[in-house]
Amino acid sequence: MRGSRSDLSRLRIALTVFFALDGFIFAGWVVRIPAIKEQTGASASALGLALLGVSAGAVITMMLTGRLCGRYGTHRVTVACAALLSLSVALPPLTHSAVALGTVLLLFGAAYGSLNVAFNSAAVDLVTALRRPIMPSFHAAFSLGGMIGAGLGGLVAGSLSPVRHLLGLTVIGLLVTAVAGRILLRIQPPSYPEDTTHQPTAPRRPNPRTRGLVITFGLIALCTAYGEGALADWSALHLEHDLDATPGVAAVGYSCFALAMTIGRLTGTKLLERLGQTRTLVGGGTTAALGMLLGALAPSVWAAFLGFMITGLGLANLFPVAVERAGRLAGPDGVAIASTLGYGGMLLGPPAIGFMADWFSLPAALTSVAVLAATAAAIALLTRRAAG
């Protein structure tokens, strides 16, 4: 491995900051969805289609971002996308129709998806350099940022309009990007001697078997991202409309989920070292399925909070493991493929849950999260030999 230990430590800190910023901005947006829904006058299904813009923008740009990372470097692309994400989060509260909301969310989603590919690719290189399964720690920072962003959103929901709140996130995001980006741009990605068995995420063409494994991990990411997106987009509405929670209390639901995700990911490295990837994936998917059944069908707010926390613990390490393995196998293109499939789950989730909520009920629609979490566990179990 080339690169000083101090450079690797600084790189880890800078990447951790960007993961946290991503979660902070995204959560700040999602807790204001109920207010923006009321502002636009959208039905549940119309809101679902508008929210489709986030995932659609992400999926459309992810494969392009993998190529940009190969050409310009993951660090430069990370900084550029973080700045664009910070600017675009101020746009949704300026809209007054579902169509306009969906349009601006395309830009927001493009920035969000591109940033995820860029900093995940950079993180895979660092994980390889350190030779430890620390990928969950970066995603813990994302979850911690989400918890703080959702908690702050709950606190200011009654006193600040969505316009002022999300504009404040723009200012914070640009300041953090300027500081952390300066550090990131000064550090070269880790490089390796030619004879090492641990190679960085260099651009390369995967063979059919490798591509099949990348797609397998992408399917696990899809099932996980569906659940994360569902709780981000619909948990507050579920608590408000089905369990009569106030807007401030409803925002706490996503905070509980994000807190559990943070705890699960902070312990993820030790869990992976002790259990291995297959048992971590199978156990996590099963736990998430049980937790989401409780969260969706709970008769009280507090029981729903408990269900959301169990779901967060279960889902915590599924996406990081899936993306890290795909990146090891096929570099930034592998991260892009797995991420595209993963956010395809978010692409499917908002409209699917919205339509199911109109046809049946929102609690019934949310049980689909449990079904896909169980599916992720089954995929990991059935493909354990090939993945190994």
Side-chain angles (χ1 to χ4, degrees):
M1 177 186 69
R2 296 179 185 139
S4 69
R5 181 64 58 177
S6 63
D7 280 349
L8 294 181
S9 297
R10 289 166 57 223
L11 176 56
R12 184 176 182 179
I13 292 170
L15 287 175
T16 299
V17 170
F18 277 109
F19 272 86
L21 177 65
D22 189 44
F24 178 78
I25 290 177
F26 187 75
W29 141 246
V30 299
V31 299
R32 301 316 296 257
I33 288 176
I36 294 175
K37 176 181 183 294
E38 182 178 351
Q39 175 180 301
T40 58
S43 65
S45 56
L47 177 64
L49 288 172
L51 294 174
L52 183 67
V54 176
S55 298
V59 168
I60 289 168
T61 56
M62 276 179 169
M63 292 305 298
L64 173 63
T65 305
R67 297 186 180 93
L68 291 175
C69 287
R71 181 171 182 178
Y72 298 106
T74 56
H75 294 185
R76 290 181 180 178
V77 178
T78 294
V79 175
C81 292
L84 181 59
L85 181 71
S86 300
L87 292 170
S88 62
V89 75
L91 299 178
L94 302 179
T95 63
H96 296 280
S97 71
V99 173
L101 178 62
T103 301
V104 301
L105 288 180
L106 279 170
L107 177 61
F108 180 73
Y112 179 73
S114 298
L115 178 58
N116 274 262
V117 170
F119 63 32
N120 272 297
S121 297
V124 168
D125 281 344
L126 183 58
V127 168
T128 305
L130 295 176
R131 301 187 183 185
R132 289 193 67 212
I134 63 167
M135 196 69 167
S137 70
F138 292 116
H139 289 259
F142 172 86
S143 298
L144 179 61
M147 182 184 67
I148 295 172
L152 178 64
L155 289 175
V156 305
S159 57
L160 285 182
S161 67
V163 173
R164 292 185 177 182
H165 176 202
L166 298 186
L167 182 60
L169 296 187
T170 294
V171 174
I172 294 171
L174 291 176
L175 289 174
V176 172
T177 299
V179 174
R182 186 177 181 183
I183 297 172
L184 191 62
L185 292 175
R186 288 181 173 180
I187 303 173
Q188 291 295 320
S191 59
Y192 302 80
E194 292 183 359
D195 61 351
T196 184
T197 58
H198 294 78
Q199 294 296 327
T201 56
R204 51 188 175 275
R205 290 182 178 273
N207 59 42
R209 180 180 181 277
T210 298
R211 181 173 290 273
L213 288 174
V214 168
I215 291 173
T216 296
F217 287 112
L219 290 175
I220 293 174
L222 183 153
C223 294
T224 305
Y226 181 99
E228 292 188 51
L231 282 162
D233 291 345
W234 296 102
S235 61
L237 286 170
H238 170 53
L239 293 170
E240 280 191 48
H241 295 173
D242 299 315
L243 298 177
D244 298 322
T246 64
V249 172
V252 174
Y254 184 70
S255 295
C256 289
F257 173 74
L259 173 61
M261 292 277 284
T262 304
I263 294 171
R265 287 171 171 174
L266 286 173
T267 59
T269 296
K270 291 184 178 179
L271 192 68
L272 285 165
E273 290 175 336
R274 177 171 297 183
L275 299 180
Q277 290 182 349
T278 296
R279 284 191 286 180
T280 299
L281 292 173
V282 173
T286 303
T287 300
L290 296 174
M292 198 59 218
L293 287 176
L294 174 60
L297 304 177
S300 68
V301 170
W302 297 109
F305 284 172
L306 177 61
F308 292 163
M309 293 190 73
I310 295 172
T311 304
L313 289 172
L315 293 180
N317 296 304
L318 272 63
F319 195 92
V321 170
V323 170
E324 190 268 335
R325 287 299 297 140
R328 288 283 191 106
L329 289 166
D333 282 346
V335 173
I337 291 170
S339 297
T340 300
L341 285 169
Y343 287 97
M346 295 183 73
L347 184 70
L348 172 68
I353 289 179
F355 284 120
M356 284 188 287
D358 280 348
W359 294 336
F360 305 106
S361 67
L362 184 52
L366 289 173
T367 61
S368 61
V369 174
V371 173
L372 287 187
T375 300
I379 292 172
L381 184 63
L382 294 173
T383 60
R384 62 190 182 280
R385 291 185 180 178

